[in-house]
Amino acid sequence: MKTLDILKYVFTLVGAGMLLFGSGDLHVFRSDNLWFDPSNHIERGTVPVLVGESNLNRYWVDTSFMPKLAG
């Protein structure tokens, strides 16, 4: 029986930007955990982030273009 190595590293996409609404301050956004290195899958310079206008702490980094882990 072969044992699988436990995943040892967690990756996160981190981005910053100024919103088109609000104070014009710089905001930092972090994706959910990714269990593989995303470097080879980011071909464009931007990743979409959905932000709640009434609460800037409510956001979602869109990683739907990334491959999904099997299982």
Side-chain angles (χ1 to χ4, degrees):
M1 177 188 218
K2 182 178 179 181
T3 59
L4 298 175
D5 289 336
I6 296 175
L7 297 171
K8 298 177 183 175
Y9 303 101
V10 176
F11 295 87
T12 306
L13 297 179
V14 178
M18 286 190 256
L19 304 176
L20 298 177
F21 57 88
S23 64
D25 295 337
L26 187 67
H27 295 275
V28 176
F29 303 102
R30 291 175 174 77
S31 71
D32 292 336
N33 291 340
L34 302 170
W35 296 100
F36 57 90
D37 183 354
S39 301
N40 293 333
H41 305 287
I42 301 174
E43 298 176 359
R44 52 187 183 228
T46 62
V47 174
V49 178
L50 303 176
V51 181
E53 288 186 49
S54 61
N55 183 354
L56 299 180
N57 292 321
R58 292 191 58 170
Y59 66 87
W60 177 66
V61 178
D62 183 1
T63 57
S64 63
F65 64 93
M66 303 288 284
K68 307 292 183 262
L69 287 178

